[in-house]
């Protein structure tokens, strides 16, 4: 049994969460949605987030801090950094919110588009390099990102769809 708990500011992480739910055994999913106190006890928690200042969202960090005795797999989206090194750094920061009595599985992070107001702010400030990064993120998560997510999910213990 598993739960998919996620926060999504622009819909990117929600897309990942829906994709996960479709590629994992649906009958084993006990909860799907935002972090709330009444999430059922499941051995596996897939915890998704949008990246906020290089870390998971505040709502998810508070949720993670309250988990105990579970297996946790983090997933999410980040507007900046298309590099594996950046994604690993974000996942490492998010993992610090998971108490040590949990088992932490390798996570998944991909690029995601940002709200248009972010681009406007960067353009108004003359931050051309950040405008270029914003534009590069626009098509994400794309089909390749979702395929990589499915491959990651296929490697999760106990929950391979037949």
């Amino acid at each position: 049994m598993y739960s998919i708990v996620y926060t999504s500011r622009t819909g990117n992480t929600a897309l990942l969460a829906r994709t996960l739910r479709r590629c994992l055994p649906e009958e084993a999913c006990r909860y799907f949605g935002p972090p709330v106190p009444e999430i059922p006890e499941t051995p596996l928690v897939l915890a998704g987030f949008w990246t906020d200042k290089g870390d998971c969202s505040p709502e998810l960090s508070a949720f993670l801090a309250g988990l105990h005795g579970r297996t946790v797999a983090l997933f999410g989206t980040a507007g900046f950094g298309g590099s594996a090194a950046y994604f690993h750094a974000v996942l490492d920061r998010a993992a610090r919110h998971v108490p040590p009595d949990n088992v932490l599985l390798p996570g998944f992070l991909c690029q995601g588009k940002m709200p248009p107001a972010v681009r406007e702010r960067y353009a108004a400030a003359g931050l051309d390099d950040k405008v270029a990064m914003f534009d590069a993120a626009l098509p994400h998560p794309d089909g390749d990102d979702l395929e990589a997510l499915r491959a990651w999910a296929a490697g999760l213990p106990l929950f391979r769809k037949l």
Side-chain angles (χ1 to χ4, degrees):
M1 289 187 287
Y2 66 94
S3 297
I4 298 175
V5 180
Y6 67 95
T7 59
S8 186
R9 188 175 192 186
T10 59
N12 298 323
T13 305
L15 173 61
L16 298 186
R18 288 190 307 272
T19 301
L20 283 172
R21 189 171 189 187
R22 284 192 303 271
C23 72
L24 296 173
E26 195 169 336
E27 67 280 358
C29 185
R30 295 293 176 255
Y31 180 81
F32 180 85
V36 293
E38 48 291 337
I39 291 171
E41 292 281 328
T42 57
L44 176 61
V45 176
L46 301 162
F49 61 91
W50 56 277
T51 301
D52 183 23
K53 299 174 194 87
D55 200 345
C56 64
S57 61
E59 304 86 358
L60 198 75
S61 67
F63 168 76
L64 292 172
L67 287 179
H68 297 285
R70 314 275 190 101
T71 298
V72 179
L74 300 172
F75 70 94
T77 58
F80 282 120
S83 77
Y86 176 72
F87 292 156
H88 286 297
V90 171
L91 286 167
D92 286 346
R93 280 189 286 283
R96 292 181 191 146
H97 302 287
V98 179
D101 63 327
N102 294 287
V103 174
L104 190 62
L105 298 176
F108 176 87
L109 204 68
C110 70
Q111 199 164 20
K113 61 188 150 293
M114 296 173 273
V118 172
R119 188 182 198 286
E120 292 167 14
R121 249 190 343 262
Y122 293 153
L127 301 172
D128 294 338
D129 58 332
K130 292 198 176 197
V131 169
M133 284 190 264
F134 177 96
D135 291 343
L138 280 175
H140 295 277
D142 63 14
D144 290 341
D145 297 324
L146 298 180
E147 191 54 41
L149 176 70
R150 288 183 198 97
W152 172 77
L156 292 172
L158 307 175
F159 297 104
R160 292 182 180 93
K161 190 168 187 173
L162 302 175

